[in-house]
């Protein structure tokens, strides 16, 4: 093996092992009492070493070593070296940070520039410009009159604060990335290579393959199962889409439809409990509430999202006459469970560790990883056990996958530091709150648009981190409950994966299906319509987030389910048979009336009753047999006199 790939793989494995050791609290177990920031600086250094030496290429989205470019090796060495220096000399540096001595400022400036360049390489210029814009505003904001005026901070003090303070780059966002996120990424890698991904795909085939449009329903279930632990939409699309997209196109779905189903289902995996692509644990930390409360709150919104997708692919299958899969392509459920049912054990271990034993999320994920590894070594799937090389590759791919998240987490830390030290966070919150004063809908719409724009092209964790820092506080200030505000920005941010112009999830699925990218994105928006609407419902209907008594929760969930079905049927043009024109409009209106939307002075119960009445009338009219046409009497020729 070439020297360069060995070095790069070694760095990737080192990053993964540092994170595992930190998550398991190994330094203190070995009698080494060090600051958390020292570990984070070391992990960031390895991440910087990696980010300059890898590139994305290939249809599978994997990352490989760059063959050449001396400048990349210089930047990698500089990033690794300066971060390790910060790690070893952290106590001295933090003691001299606010005095802004020349060497401390120089180190902070170099680190800042290296992180920006790493960020540019993983997500492009958009987020780099956001960071630079916020940092620039932090420098001149004291000159701005009005509500957006900030506190004056000297440039050198701003640099040292955001680089070294625990409220800046080496703070919460990087901490969670190095502990919780790494553990769950590793779990997904081990589970996939142990045979778990293949098992979940086969069990989805067995469960849904015999239903009409079964191929699309398999995609929904398989992507939901795998997506909730993967944390990366594109990885989810690759893991399941290479099989499910082919099944869908073969069974009769148009390529754009097949790609859109996979993209929407894979995106939905990130918002589905219990893991939510590791965001559930981040959200619990931000809100300072138990993890179980976050996971429970996510149940109804995720169910509505997948119900809408399921309804639409089912109705599309009915309208297009798409049959179930052939029997010879559907594995036996019993045989599949006998061969791979053991892979349910890692999830049992994870849930048990979290809910019953009260372990930290990263510890529970590592326990589940151990269980998945044992399953793969002892049992495997279909008799094929995980190999030692596959374990090494899991460590390597985890390190590679973490480079994006580390760069974005560090950038989010910079943003948090600027917001804190300059007071810009308070000023921005106050300004947006002023916009929303007396007009909450306007504030929500502006926040939704900003979430879609800022979330484009970023991994799940990064989307949430950025939006939680920038956009959630103004919503809370305007009176939105904190949990509703965070779910609001997270849902809209995730939908950037299928929303033009940078619908990376939809475009990647379109490439697999050989479908037009923009058409795929537009179809995906239709299939995932609930994720654009339901977040607004969180604000006005807390029971949808399990906030309320059992009766309120059941009524809200039931009515919303009926509304989702009616609107989905209107979009598909099928309601017990093909419908069009005015009936589709009436069906959509009846569905909207069943959703818990504020409708002026109309009481919610009356709106629901009207919606149900319209649905019943439409169903009755649809089921009525058509009137028999009257026979046309032939025209008798006139008799001549």
């Amino acid at each position: 093996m070439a020297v360069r790939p060995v070095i790069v793989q070694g760095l990737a494995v080192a990053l993964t092992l540092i994170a595992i050791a930190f998550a398991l609290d190994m330094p203190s177990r070995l009698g080494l009492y060090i600051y958390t920031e020292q570990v984070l600086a070391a992990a960031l250094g390895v991440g910087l070493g990696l980010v300059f030496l890898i590139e994305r290429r290939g249809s599978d989205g994997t990352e490989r070593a760059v063959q050449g470019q001396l400048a990349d090796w210089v930047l990698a060495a500089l990033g690794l070296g300066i971060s390790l220096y910060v790690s070893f000399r952290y106590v001295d540096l933090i003691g001299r940070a606010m005095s802004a001595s020349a060497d401390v400022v120089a180190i902070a400036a170099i680190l800042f520039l290296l992180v920006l360049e790493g960020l540019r390489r993983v997500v492009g210029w958009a987020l780099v410009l956001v960071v630079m814009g916020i940092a620039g505003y932090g420098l001149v904001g004291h000159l701005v009159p009005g509500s957006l005026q900030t506190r004056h901070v000297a440039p050198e003090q701003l640099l040292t604060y955001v680089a070294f303070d625990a409220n800046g780059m080496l703070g919460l966002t990087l901490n969670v990335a190095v502990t919780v996120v790494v553990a769950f990424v590793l779990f997904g890698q081990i589970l996939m290579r142990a045979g778990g991904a293949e098992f979940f795909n086969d069990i989805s085939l067995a469960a849904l393959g015999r239903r009409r449009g079964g191929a699309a329903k398999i995609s929904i279930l398989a992507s939901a199962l795998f997506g909730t632990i993967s944390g990366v939409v594109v990885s989810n699309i690759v893991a399941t889409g290479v099989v499910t997209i082919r099944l869908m196109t073969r069974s009769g779905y148009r390529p754009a439809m097949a790609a859109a189903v996979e993209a929407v289902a894979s995106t939905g995996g990130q918002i589905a409990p219990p893991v939510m692509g590791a965001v559930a644990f981040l959200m619990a930390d931000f809100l300072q509430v138990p993890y179980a409360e976050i996971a429970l709150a996510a149940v109804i919104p995720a169910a509505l999202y997948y119900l809408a997708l399921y309804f639409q692919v089912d109705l599309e299958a009915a309208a297009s006459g798409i049959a179930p899969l052939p029997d010879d392509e559907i594995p036996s459920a019993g045989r599949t469970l006998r061969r791979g049912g053991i892979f349910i054990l890692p999830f049992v271990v994870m849930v048990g560790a979290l809910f019953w034993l009260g372990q930290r999320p990263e510890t529970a994920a590592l326990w589940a990883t151990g269980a998945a590894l044992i399953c793969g070594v002892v049992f495997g799937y279909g008799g094929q056990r995980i190999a030692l090389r596959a374990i090494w590759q899991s460590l390597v791919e985890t390190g590679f996958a973490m480079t994006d998240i580390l760069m974005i987490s560090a950038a989010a830390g910079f943003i948090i530091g600027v917001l804190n030290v300059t007071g810009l966070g308070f000023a921005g919150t106050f300004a947006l709150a002023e916009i929303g004063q007396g007009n909450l809908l306007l504030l929500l719409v502006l926040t939704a648009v900003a979430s879609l724009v800022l979330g484009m092209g970023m991994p799940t964790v990064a989307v949430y981190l950025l939006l939680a820092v920038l956009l959630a506080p103004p919503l809370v200030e305007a009176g939105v409950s904190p949990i509703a505000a965070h779910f609001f920005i997270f849902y809209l941010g995730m939908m950037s994966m299928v929303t033009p112009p940078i619908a990376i999830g939809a475009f990647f699925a379109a490439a697999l299906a050989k479908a037009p990218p923009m058409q795929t994105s537009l179809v995906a928006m239709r299939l995932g319509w609930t994720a654009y609407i339901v977040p607004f419902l969180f604000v006005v209907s807390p029971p949808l987030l399990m906030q309320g008594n059992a009766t309120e929760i059941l009524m809200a969930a039931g009515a919303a389910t009926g509304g989702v079905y009616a609107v989905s049927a209107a979009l598909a043009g099928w309601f017990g048979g093909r419908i069009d024109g005015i009936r589709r409009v009436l069906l959509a209106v009846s569905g909207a009336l069943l959703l818990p939307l504020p409708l002026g002075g109309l009481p919610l119960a009356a709106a629901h009753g009207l919606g149900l009445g319209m649905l019943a009338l439409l169903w009755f009219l649809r089921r009525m047999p058509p009137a028999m046409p009257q026979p046309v009497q032939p025209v008798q020729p006139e008799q001549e006199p």
Side-chain angles (χ1 to χ4, degrees):
M1 185 179 292
V3 174
R4 286 168 181 162
V6 169
I7 293 174
V8 174
Q9 289 189 38
L11 285 173
V13 172
L15 176 58
T16 304
L17 294 179
I18 289 172
I20 292 173
F22 185 35
L24 293 176
D25 201 20
M26 292 301 296
S28 63
R29 294 175 189 270
L30 296 174
L32 300 174
Y33 298 101
I34 58 179
Y35 287 95
T36 297
E37 290 78 12
Q38 291 178 274
V39 179
L40 298 180
L44 178 63
V46 179
L48 283 169
L50 270 174
V51 79
F52 296 121
L53 298 179
I54 59 177
E55 64 177 353
R56 289 163 192 77
R57 65 185 186 190
S59 59
D60 60 352
T62 56
E63 295 159 330
R64 296 291 181 263
V66 175
Q67 302 298 315
Q69 302 301 329
L70 178 61
D72 294 326
W73 287 92
V74 171
L75 289 174
L78 184 60
L80 178 60
I82 202 166
S83 298
L84 291 179
Y85 179 82
V86 171
S87 178
F88 286 109
R89 300 282 296 170
Y90 180 74
V91 177
D92 174 60
L93 290 171
I94 195 65
R96 296 188 293 125
M98 293 314 290
S99 63
S101 57
D103 61 327
V104 176
V105 174
I107 291 171
I110 295 171
L111 197 57
F112 178 71
L113 293 174
L114 286 170
V115 170
L116 284 184
E117 172 58 15
L119 186 66
R120 184 193 66 79
R121 295 193 179 204
V122 298
V123 297
W125 279 104
L127 188 52
V128 173
L129 294 176
V130 170
V131 174
M132 293 177 65
I134 291 175
Y137 193 92
L139 293 174
V140 301
H142 63 285
L143 303 175
V144 177
S147 59
L148 287 176
Q149 188 176 59
T150 63
R151 186 167 67 90
H152 175 57
V153 180
E156 60 274 13
Q157 290 181 327
L158 182 65
L159 265 177
T160 55
Y161 181 89
V162 298
F164 304 129
D165 195 88
N167 292 313
M169 180 187 68
L170 303 178
L172 172 66
T173 56
L174 197 60
N175 191 343
V176 174
V178 173
T179 53
V180 177
V181 178
V182 170
F184 277 93
V185 171
L186 179 62
F187 172 51
Q189 290 288 339
I190 292 290
L191 186 68
M192 180 173 61
R193 287 175 172 79
E198 188 179 352
F199 163 70
F200 286 120
N201 190 69
D202 285 353
I203 200 65
S204 301
L205 276 167
L208 297 171
R210 291 181 173 84
R211 299 179 180 272
R212 71 183 181 192
K217 295 170 183 177
I218 290 163
S219 173
I220 294 171
L221 181 57
S223 298
L225 290 173
F226 189 76
T228 188
I229 61 167
S230 73
V232 181
V233 171
V234 171
S235 296
N236 191 14
I237 291 171
V238 171
T240 58
V242 291
V243 175
T244 58
I245 288 176
R246 179 178 58 85
L247 286 175
M248 284 187 277
T249 54
R250 283 178 54 195
S251 64
Y253 284 99
R254 294 172 290 111
M257 182 69 176
V261 169
E262 178 58 42
V264 175
S266 294
T267 300
Q270 313 301 288
I271 61 177
V275 181
M276 297 165 59
V279 164
F281 311 107
L282 284 167
M283 196 178 292
D285 278 342
F286 264 104
L287 297 175
Q288 293 297 294
V289 299
Y291 156 76
E293 184 176 339
I294 300 298
L296 194 62
V299 170
I300 294 177
L304 293 175
Y305 180 93
Y306 275 109
L307 280 173
L309 180 56
Y310 184 92
F311 290 153
Q312 287 179 91
V313 299
D314 180 66
L315 296 169
E316 176 85 11
S320 303
I322 298 174
L325 291 175
D327 287 343
D328 60 357
E329 294 187 13
I330 302 174
S332 163
R335 184 167 178 269
T336 301
L337 284 171
R338 286 193 299 271
R339 295 172 65 207
I342 190 66
F343 286 104
I344 298 173
L345 177 63
F347 292 92
V348 174
V349 170
M350 181 192 298
V351 173
L354 285 169
F355 288 95
W356 296 318
L357 301 181
Q359 295 295 318
R360 293 179 302 176
E362 59 269 30
T363 304
L366 291 175
W367 286 11
T369 303
L373 187 58
I374 292 171
C375 292
V377 170
V378 177
F379 301 98
Y381 182 63
Q384 293 187 355
R385 296 176 176 84
I386 189 171
L388 186 62
R389 180 177 177 80
I391 298 173
W392 170 265
Q393 197 60 33
S394 297
L395 296 173
V396 171
E397 292 297 335
T398 299
F400 282 174
M402 284 307 301
T403 56
D404 292 21
I405 296 172
L406 284 179
M407 294 303 104
I408 297 167
S409 297
F414 279 130
I415 293 173
I416 292 172
V418 173
L419 296 180
N420 284 337
V421 75
T422 65
L424 179 58
F426 175 79
T429 299
F430 182 73
L432 270 178
E434 277 190 328
I435 293 174
Q437 187 174 9
N439 196 341
L440 180 60
L441 178 60
L442 176 60
L443 176 61
L444 291 173
V445 170
L446 292 175
T447 305
V449 173
S451 298
L452 287 168
V453 172
L454 292 175
M456 287 180 175
M458 294 200 297
T460 302
V461 171
V463 171
Y464 175 70
L465 285 174
L466 182 65
L467 300 183
V469 170
L470 293 178
L471 299 181
L475 294 179
V476 176
E477 186 70 22
V480 178
S481 73
I483 193 169
H486 280 252
F487 269 94
F488 183 91
I489 55 103
F490 177 49
Y491 266 58
L492 271 304
M494 286 312 306
M495 289 311 291
S496 65
M497 296 294 172
V498 298
T499 305
I502 311 176
I504 184 171
F507 292 173
F508 205 91
L512 292 178
K514 295 181 174 57
M518 192 58 67
Q519 182 185 353
T520 299
S521 178
L522 295 175
V523 175
M525 289 180 67
R526 172 170 68 82
L527 295 177
W529 69 270
T530 52
Y532 298 100
I533 302 300
V534 170
F536 289 87
L537 305 184
F538 298 159
V539 177
V540 296
S541 183
L544 290 179
L545 291 175
M546 296 289 188
Q547 310 291 304
N549 59 50
T551 302
E552 292 172 336
I553 292 170
L554 288 174
M555 289 182 64
T561 300
V564 164
Y565 178 81
V567 175
S568 299
L571 291 172
W574 187 271
F575 189 60
R578 189 174 297 281
I579 59 172
D580 52 23
I582 189 64
R583 291 186 179 183
R584 290 183 73 170
V585 174
L586 292 176
L587 189 58
V589 171
S590 64
L593 289 171
L594 288 170
L595 298 174
L597 293 165
L599 298 170
L602 185 63
L604 201 58
H608 288 352
L610 181 59
L612 285 172
M614 290 176 64
L615 275 179
L617 178 61
L618 284 168
W619 183 256
F620 175 74
L621 292 175
R622 182 64 209 171
R623 303 296 292 180
M624 285 180 62
M628 295 297 294
Q630 296 296 321
V632 178
Q633 299 294 328
V635 178
Q636 299 293 330
E638 293 184 4
Q639 299 290 329
E640 292 184 6

